[in-house]
């Protein structure tokens, strides 16, 4: 196994500055076990920080309030990466977004290549939004602009 990195290399920063399918893992507030969610509103602020937005009603908020340890798993360069760290809520609600989204920054502690030995991802996961394309594109622009503009 390769040694973990302490920050995202530039290629991964760029990957996480575009809409990307990721798996967010938190600690479940009730069971204390793992909780996984697929999310796409993710943005690499810099090599040491991953920002994400989630519906303010999501269980993710309670999970992170109880335990800030989390990880983000994503696909890039033919492999699977997982960034581990602690999340901190940076906004209760994003400005100029039509519904309430909480926003978090993950302070990255390590980044690992988590693909099993001797294999390569040949096709990254793809998804489509099932609601009005124009509305989805507009909402995505609003969310990403708000995340980028947070101080």
């Amino acid at each position: 196994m390769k040694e973990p990195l302490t920050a995202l290399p530039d290629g991964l920063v760029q990957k996480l500055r575009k809409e990307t399918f990721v798996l967010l893992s938190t600690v479940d507030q009730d069971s204390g076990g793992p909780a996984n969610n697929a999310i796409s509103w993710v943005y690499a602020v810099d090599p040491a920080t991953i920002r994400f937005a989630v519906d303010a009603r999501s269980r993710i908020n309670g999970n992170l309030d109880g335990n800030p340890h989390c990880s983000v798993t994503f696909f890039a360069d033919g492999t699977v990466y997982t960034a581990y760290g602690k999340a901190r809520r940076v906004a209760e609600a994003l400005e100029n977004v039509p519904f309430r989204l909480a926003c978090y920054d993950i302070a990255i502690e390590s980044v690992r290549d988590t693909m099993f030995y001797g294999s390569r991802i040949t096709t990254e996961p793809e998804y489509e939004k099932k609601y009005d394309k124009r509305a989805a594109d507009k909402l995505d622009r609003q969310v990403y602009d708000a995340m980028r503009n947070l101080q």
Side-chain angles (χ1 to χ4, degrees):
M1 176 178 279
K2 298 176 188 171
E3 289 298 313
L5 304 172
T6 56
L8 296 168
D10 187 58
L12 298 184
V13 169
Q14 297 312 313
K15 170 80 174 176
L16 292 176
R17 286 192 172 166
K18 298 180 277 191
E19 186 174 343
T20 303
F21 173 88
V22 305
L23 297 171
L24 173 68
S25 297
T26 60
V27 178
D28 186 81
Q29 62 188 337
D30 295 328
S31 72
N36 293 299
N37 294 90
I39 64 172
S40 65
W41 288 325
V42 177
Y43 178 75
V45 176
D46 56 45
T49 311
I50 296 173
R51 180 170 289 163
F52 66 92
V54 295
D55 189 312
R57 300 167 297 178
S58 171
R59 283 186 59 83
I60 293 168
N61 297 291
N63 290 351
L64 292 173
D65 286 345
N67 187 331
H69 289 91
C70 61
S71 66
V72 173
T73 300
F74 58 98
F75 304 85
D77 304 328
T79 194
V80 180
Y81 290 98
T82 303
Y84 301 89
K86 292 180 186 166
R88 172 179 68 87
R89 193 178 318 208
V90 294
E92 293 290 328
L94 289 174
E95 291 185 27
N96 302 315
V97 175
F99 59 93
R100 198 163 157 244
L101 294 179
C103 190
Y104 293 84
D105 280 357
I106 300 172
I108 297 172
E109 296 170 354
S110 66
V111 179
R112 293 182 178 267
D113 180 336
T114 52
M115 184 67 184
F116 53 91
Y117 179 76
S119 297
R120 176 171 172 68
I121 297 291
T122 56
T123 305
E124 291 184 22
E126 293 181 9
Y127 60 92
E128 65 181 4
K129 297 182 179 149
K130 299 186 295 184
Y131 55 100
D132 181 275
K133 171 107 171 88
R134 284 190 332 235
D137 289 345
K138 180 180 178 183
L139 178 60
D140 286 344
R141 278 191 307 277
Q142 291 169 321
V143 172
Y144 282 106
D145 286 349
M147 285 197 304
R148 277 192 292 273
N149 293 328
L150 266 178
Q151 298 303 325

